Amino acid sequence: MTTNHYVHPEILVETDWVKQNLGKPGVRLVEVDVDTKAYDAGHIPGAVGFNWQSQLQDQVRRDIISKQEFERLMSEAGISPSDTVILYGDNNNWFASYGFWLFKLYGHSDVRLMNGGRVKWLNEADKELTPDRPKITPTKYHASEPDLTLRALLPEVLKVQSDKRHNLVDVRSPDEFTGKVIAPPGMTETAQRGGHIPGAKSIPWSTAINQDGTFKSADDLRKIYFSNGGIDPGKDTITYCRIGERSSHTWVVLKFLLGLPNVKNYDGSWTEYGSIVGAPIEK
Amino acid sequence: MDHKTRVYDNVFEMMPSEENPTPLVRVNRLNPNADFPLYAKLEWMNPFGSVKDRAAWALLRDLEERGELGNGRGLVEPTSGNTGISLAALARARGHRLLAIVPNKVPHEKKVLLKIAGADLEIVSDELCPAPGLGDGSINLAKTYAKAQSHKYVMPNQYENEKNVEAHFKTTGPEIWKQTKGRITHLFTSLGTCGTVTGIGKFLRGKNSKIKIIAIQPTEGHDVPGLRNISQLEVSKLFDPSLIDDILEIDFNLAYTRALELCQNEGLLAGPSSGLILEGALQIVARDRRGFGVMIFPDNVFKYTSNMTKHIPTLEPQETKATI
C-alpha cells in the first residue's frame, strides 16, 4: 500500500506488494495497454489482458461498454465483485486508469492501480513476466448501474463552459491545447478542429508522475494542480483529453490522491467536443 | 582474405578494421577552407550499408561466444532501422533469427529493407505524448520479449551493451587515427545509442587529449531517423558527457538540405544525419578556423527518399505536361 499523504492511498499498490500477493485468492490482476500487443509479448503471471479498443468500448456506437457487457467481461475474466482488482498497463497506466474509472463507474468496490505501471515492473530485476495466459474459472458477475457522478457527458460540458463555475482540466500535451496539432502524431482518433474548451486549464497528465512512472507525492501534486495550475479545490471539476484515457489518469489524481469531492471524467473529450458544430473553442 | 584484391570467402571478412577501413573522403566544394579540411568517413561503404554494421557485428559475436544463441533462441532488438538491417543480415547469414521492434516513424524503405534482410518486424507507436520516464515503447517491448520469453529471445541491447562502444574503440577509432596519420583535431558525430561517440572519443582521447569531440544533435521534435536529441538520451546508458567538448543543436530541417547539397555538389550520396553533421562541422570551422576534421557519415540517402521529398517537396517528380 502506498501512502505519500494521499487522501485515498488505498487505491494504489506498489510493484513489491503485487509480487508478494501473486496468485493469492481474491487478488486479480488486469493489464490494459495502449499498445494492445504488449500483453501477448509478456505480462505479470496470472494477469488477464483487456483490449481497450475491442473490450472496453461499445463496438457499434461510440460509448463505453454497457452494464451487461461489463458483467460479461468480468465473468469471462473470472472476476468476482468481492475481488481486489489490480490494474496496470503501459504509458504509465493511461488505459489502466481508464479501466479503473470504468470499474468504479460500474460499482466494483475494491479496485486499485499498480503504481508505476508495466514499465516499472518490467525494469525491476526481481519481477517476472510470462506470455502464458492464466486459466480462468468463469464467474457470474453482477455490476451496479453506472455511477454517472463520475462521468461528464457533452450537454453538461457545454453548460459548464458557459457557466464558468467549474474547474475544467485539459490534460493533453501543450501542442494539442493550443491547437498546433489536433492529436499526437500517428493517432487515428481525431477531431475536426484544434484548440481547447474555453476556460480550461492546461495541466498535462504527465506532470503528475515521477521519472520511474509512479505518482508524485500529495504535496507536489497540490502544488502542481492548485498553486501553479489554478485548480480551485472547492469547485466541481471535469477532466478531459482526446479520447478519455489520459484524463482518467488525472481523474485518479484529483479524485483519489488529492480527494476533490466531485470530479468527473469527460470521456468524449476533444474528439467529441472538437467536432461539434458551433461549440465555442479557444486556441 | 585479401583486402588488396578484395576477394573474400564470406561477407564477414568484409567487416571493417584498421586493415580494412571505410573510406575517408575530403569535402571540397562545400568547405573550401584550406586551414580546416573536413573529411567524411563514409560508413555506408560497410557491407550492410551503415555505421551500425560495427556494433551489430560486435553484439552478435559476443552473444555467440557466450553461447546465448541457437537451439531455437534468436534475437530481439529495438531499432530505428540500421542496427536491425545489419543485425538481421548478419544473424540470418549465421543461422539465427531477429525480431526487430521498430518505431512507426521509421521510413517505409527501412521497414521493407528490414524484412528483405530477414528480420521479423513488430511496429510500435512511440512518443504518443511527452512524458517523463515513460521510456521508449520499442525498447520496453523488446525488453518484455526478452524477459517473458527468454527461451526464444535474447536482447543484445545496443543502448546499454558495452560491446557497442568497444566496436568503435577497436575499429573506427584506430581507422581514423591511421587514416589521418594522427592529424585529426576535431571529430564530428551524431548521438543515437552513443556507442559511436563514446568508443571513438575514448580511443582518440587516449592518443591525443586535445582532440575535440563534437556531438551534433537535431532540434527537439525532429524526424531524423536514428538520431536523438539530448532530451531523448536518457535511454542510452552509453552516453558519456565527459568525453564531449561541444553539443551542437542544429535545426533538423538542415539535415535534409545539407544532405542534398552533399549529393549535388560533392558526389557524396549522404543521408540526412550526415547532412546534420556537415552543418555542425561547418559551424565549428567558422568558429575555430584551423583544424583537421573528421565527420562520421552514418549512412547514404537511398533509404530516405520519402523523408527527403517530405522536407524538400521540389524533389517530388512531376509528370511532364503534354504541350499541344
Side-chain angles (χ1 to χ4, degrees):
Chain A
M1 202 86 63
T2 303
T3 57
N4 259 327
H5 307 293
Y6 300 134
V7 176
H8 293 287
E10 71 278 6
I11 64 119
L12 289 181
V13 290
E14 297 302 322
T15 48
D16 286 341
W17 185 95
V18 172
K19 187 186 172 192
Q20 285 153 17
N21 287 277
L22 281 182
K24 287 212 175 142
V27 176
R28 303 304 315 274
L29 288 162
V30 178
E31 175 166 334
V32 196
D33 298 314
V34 177
D35 176 0
T36 51
K37 287 174 278 193
Y39 174 83
D40 291 332
H43 50 262
I44 300 178
V48 295
F50 289 164
N51 184 316
W52 71 269
Q53 287 167 314
S54 62
Q55 291 179 291
L56 302 186
Q57 309 284 319
D58 189 289
Q59 294 300 292
V60 179
R61 54 185 194 157
R62 183 176 175 195
D63 208 343
I64 56 173
I65 49 174
S66 66
K67 175 171 173 273
Q68 289 72 29
E69 286 164 329
F70 184 81
E71 287 173 336
R72 189 166 67 228
L73 181 67
M74 294 302 109
S75 302
E76 288 174 2
I79 294 171
S80 300
S82 58
D83 282 344
T84 297
V85 173
I86 312 297
L87 287 154
Y88 73 97
D90 64 1
N91 280 28
N92 298 124
N93 285 334
W94 278 12
F95 272 102
S97 298
Y98 184 87
F100 179 93
W101 172 71
L102 206 59
F103 270 81
K104 284 285 182 195
L105 196 86
Y106 284 119
H108 192 94
S109 58
D110 189 2
V111 56
R112 311 178 193 186
L113 282 174
M114 184 174 83
N115 202 9
R118 112 189 283 284
V119 71
K120 187 161 190 287
W121 181 276
L122 172 68
N123 287 295
E124 289 175 346
D126 64 329
K127 307 296 191 296
E128 304 225 334
L129 288 173
T130 176
D132 302 330
R133 287 164 186 264
K135 287 202 177 86
I136 303 288
T137 308
T139 56
K140 275 202 172 222
Y141 190 97
H142 292 287
S144 308
E145 289 302 319
D147 180 356
L148 295 177
T149 66
L150 309 181
R151 187 187 196 197
L153 294 166
L154 181 67
E156 183 179 3
V157 174
L158 286 169
K159 186 170 183 304
V160 158
Q161 77 77 29
S162 68
D163 291 351
K164 312 283 184 215
R165 285 199 293 268
H166 277 58
N167 299 308
L168 270 170
V169 191
D170 187 317
V171 314
R172 299 172 299 163
S173 58
D175 282 353
E176 290 171 276
F177 183 79
T178 60
K180 188 179 168 192
V181 299
I182 295 180
M187 294 290 95
T188 47
E189 308 89 358
T190 183
Q192 292 296 314
R193 291 287 185 269
H196 58 266
I197 302 174
K201 300 279 195 302
S202 171
I203 312 176
W205 70 278
S206 55
T207 54
I209 54 170
N210 295 309
Q211 286 289 328
D212 67 353
T214 55
F215 289 106
K216 288 181 180 163
S217 70
D219 283 347
D220 286 346
L221 292 173
R222 268 190 287 273
K223 246 177 250 160
I224 290 163
Y225 289 93
F226 304 156
S227 317
N228 303 333
I231 301 302
D232 180 347
K235 286 183 179 175
D236 293 347
T237 303
I238 292 176
T239 62
Y240 74 93
C241 60
R242 185 177 53 93
I243 52 173
E245 87 290 31
R246 286 175 286 177
S247 55
S248 301
H249 192 272
T250 301
W251 176 82
V252 169
V253 171
L254 294 176
K255 184 161 181 67
F256 295 95
L257 304 188
L258 296 181
L260 264 56
N262 184 14
V263 189
K264 290 182 176 181
N265 181 31
Y266 171 35
D267 58 304
S269 273
W270 193 255
T271 46
E272 178 177 55
Y273 191 94
S275 299
I276 296 299
V277 175
I281 289 177
E282 265 178 12
K283 286 192 104 166
Chain B
M1 177 166 77
D2 183 346
H3 291 312
K4 277 189 184 147
T5 58
R6 295 186 66 82
V7 175
Y8 300 102
D9 286 334
N10 56 55
V11 74
F12 311 113
E13 291 183 356
M14 289 172 64
M15 298 308 285
S17 65
E18 212 174 335
E19 296 73 40
N20 182 37
T22 51
L24 211 54
V25 180
R26 186 165 173 175
V27 168
N28 294 292
R29 299 171 71 183
L30 296 176
N31 178 41
N33 189 336
D35 294 330
F36 202 146
L38 288 177
Y39 282 80
K41 192 155 175 64
L42 306 188
E43 288 297 298
W44 62 79
M45 300 298 279
N46 281 311
F48 306 102
S50 82
V51 66
K52 294 293 192 177
D53 281 13
R54 298 173 189 270
W57 184 224
L59 296 172
L60 186 66
R61 272 185 310 173
D62 177 54
L63 290 173
E64 282 184 341
E65 281 162 18
R66 289 193 285 118
E68 296 277 2
L69 288 167
N71 295 326
R73 195 179 194 216
L75 302 111
V76 61
E77 184 70 358
T79 167
S80 63
N82 280 333
T83 305
I85 291 164
S86 304
L87 208 50
L90 284 163
R92 288 297 291 266
R94 290 174 93 81
H96 313 298
R97 292 202 75 87
L98 167 72
L99 172 61
I101 314 289
V102 182
N104 57 355
K105 69 176 179 181
V106 165
H108 180 74
E109 296 97 318
K110 271 194 178 172
K111 289 178 191 147
V112 177
L113 272 170
L114 276 164
K115 294 193 81 165
I116 291 172
D120 301 312
L121 282 202
E122 191 144 336
I123 296 165
V124 297
S125 177
D126 277 345
E127 298 171 21
L128 288 168
C129 187
L134 184 63
D136 196 300
S138 52
I139 295 176
N140 283 325
L141 189 57
K143 279 185 180 172
T144 299
Y145 275 107
K147 193 167 188 174
Q149 304 181 47
S150 59
H151 61 293
K152 278 172 78 179
Y153 301 105
V154 58
M155 180 176 169
N157 200 348
Q158 56 174 326
Y159 295 96
E160 296 181 14
N161 195 322
E162 279 295 326
K163 292 285 166 189
N164 182 352
V165 173
E166 196 181 300
H168 294 283
F169 186 85
K170 285 187 171 168
T171 66
T172 333
E175 287 172 37
I176 293 170
W177 188 251
K178 190 174 174 187
Q179 286 172 305
T180 63
K181 300 189 177 73
R183 286 178 295 165
I184 178 172
T185 60
H186 292 69
L187 176 84
F188 301 98
T189 187
S190 49
L191 303 173
T193 64
C194 298
T196 311
V197 68
T198 305
I200 306 177
K202 265 187 190 161
F203 180 86
L204 291 179
R205 282 282 174 76
K207 289 289 184 186
N208 175 0
S209 61
K210 290 184 179 157
I211 292 175
K212 288 188 173 157
I213 311 292
I214 317 284
I216 323 281
Q217 57 163 343
T219 37
E220 254 185 281
H222 70 89
D223 70 342
V224 185
L227 302 195
R228 286 175 185 270
N229 179 275
I230 196 89
S231 63
Q232 303 166 298
L233 274 184
E234 202 179 295
V235 295
S236 180
K237 304 283 187 286
L238 308 178
F239 180 52
D240 180 356
S242 72
L243 283 170
I244 298 173
D245 294 280
D246 286 295
I247 298 184
L248 302 184
E249 188 173 85
I250 309 282
D251 176 1
F252 68 83
N253 288 300
L254 286 167
Y256 293 92
T257 51
R258 285 298 193 190
L260 190 64
E261 286 174 24
L262 281 163
C263 295
Q264 297 183 345
N265 294 283
E266 300 285 343
L268 297 176
L269 297 182
S273 55
S274 304
L276 193 84
I277 291 164
L278 172 69
E279 171 61 24
L282 291 173
Q283 291 186 9
I284 296 297
V285 167
R287 187 191 77 181
D288 292 358
R289 299 203 179 147
R290 300 184 78 83
F292 190 105
V294 171
M295 305 175 288
I296 306 297
F297 278 10
D299 60 359
N300 67 20
V301 77
F302 295 162
K303 303 180 200 102
Y304 303 101
T305 52
S306 56
N307 289 55
M308 290 292 284
T309 47
K310 181 180 156 199
H311 288 271
I312 310 174
T314 52
L315 288 173
E316 193 65 55
Q318 301 293 323
E319 295 277 333
T320 312
K321 281 182 189 155
T323 46
I324 301 168

